[in-house]
Amino acid sequence: MSEKKMTSSRRHHLKSLILGIARDLLTAEEKRVEEERARYMEEKCTPLSLPGSVQELQDLCKELHQKTDVVDEERYDLTVKVAKSEKEIEDLKIKIQDLIGKFKKPALKKVRMSADSMLQALLGSKHKVSLDLRANLKQVKKEVKEEDKEAVGDWRKNVEDKAGMGGRKKMFESEA
């Protein structure tokens, strides 16, 4: 039927036990990380012993320079690999967006610019071009329709001419 409900004291006790176990695990993890770090530092950074003679000091300096060069090469290689992988990730994100078909349109700012200022921005400040858009337009003369003048006459005559089937034919012929 219905499951037995846990009492609040039992739930609180279990919760405190789980938190105690988690705390112990975290402290063990921190200790392990510290030991690993100390072991790595001992392995990579040997204790420095300064020699007494000048020649031995110069050899030590050369050796340290070679080690720093090797480390710099590794760092450079890793940065190049990271940059390459980041570029691949960006390309894959773009491909995913293309496949999904949802594009984020950037918010464009409205810019009021005249044609002259646009040309000046494109061509530079050296070229001062005045653009008259109306000069290149074709001029169209309006024709006065003679049909309008004839239609003003007696309307009764016009209705009688167009009455019946013959009138409809005349109406279509005059329009075409």
Side-chain angles (χ1 to χ4, degrees), residues 5-175:
K5 293 189 177 181
M6 193 181 308
T7 63
S8 62
S9 61
R10 172 98 172 127
R11 190 175 333 126
H12 181 67
H13 177 67
L14 289 175
K15 189 175 180 180
S16 64
L17 285 175
I18 291 172
L19 287 174
I21 292 170
R23 186 179 336 111
D24 294 341
L25 289 174
L26 282 175
T27 55
E29 179 73 19
E30 287 175 1
K31 278 185 181 179
R32 187 187 62 78
V33 167
E34 279 295 323
E35 290 171 359
E36 193 174 308
R37 183 178 294 142
R39 184 183 52 79
Y40 179 80
M41 291 303 287
E42 287 175 7
E43 180 183 310
K44 292 293 181 180
C45 300
T46 57
L48 187 62
S49 61
L50 295 174
S53 70
V54 176
Q55 183 61 34
E56 291 175 353
L57 277 174
Q58 288 177 346
D59 291 339
L60 178 66
C61 289
K62 287 179 184 177
E63 182 183 335
L64 289 175
H65 279 289
Q66 288 174 352
K67 285 183 179 180
T68 56
D69 288 342
V70 169
V71 170
D72 281 342
E73 287 175 6
E74 289 176 2
R75 182 185 53 83
Y76 178 75
D77 291 342
L78 288 175
T79 55
V80 168
K81 284 182 184 177
V82 167
K84 185 178 178 182
S85 61
E86 285 178 352
K87 177 73 171 136
E88 288 177 6
I89 289 171
E90 276 299 314
D91 291 343
L92 290 175
K93 283 182 181 178
I94 291 172
K95 284 182 182 179
I96 288 171
Q97 286 294 328
D98 288 344
L99 291 175
I100 291 174
K102 294 180 181 176
F103 298 102
K104 291 183 179 177
K105 293 183 181 178
L108 299 176
K109 295 180 180 178
K110 289 185 179 179
V111 177
R112 290 190 172 227
M113 187 180 284
S114 68
D116 292 334
S117 59
M118 196 178 303
L119 279 176
Q120 187 175 1
L122 289 173
L123 299 176
S125 60
K126 295 176 185 175
H127 302 285
K128 300 224 173 183
V129 178
S130 177
L131 183 65
D132 186 16
L133 296 175
R134 294 184 183 201
N136 297 332
L137 293 178
K138 223 173 154 182
Q139 294 200 358
V140 178
K141 295 181 181 178
K142 292 184 180 178
E143 296 179 10
V144 179
K145 293 184 179 179
E146 295 178 11
E147 296 175 8
D148 294 338
K149 291 180 182 177
E150 292 176 4
V152 175
D154 190 14
W155 61 272
R156 283 179 233 136
K157 179 182 176 190
N158 205 4
V159 170
E160 289 172 2
D161 288 342
K162 294 183 180 177
M165 192 57 157
R168 292 177 196 249
K169 187 177 178 184
K170 286 180 185 176
M171 186 170 63
F172 284 116
E173 287 175 356
S174 66
E175 287 179 7

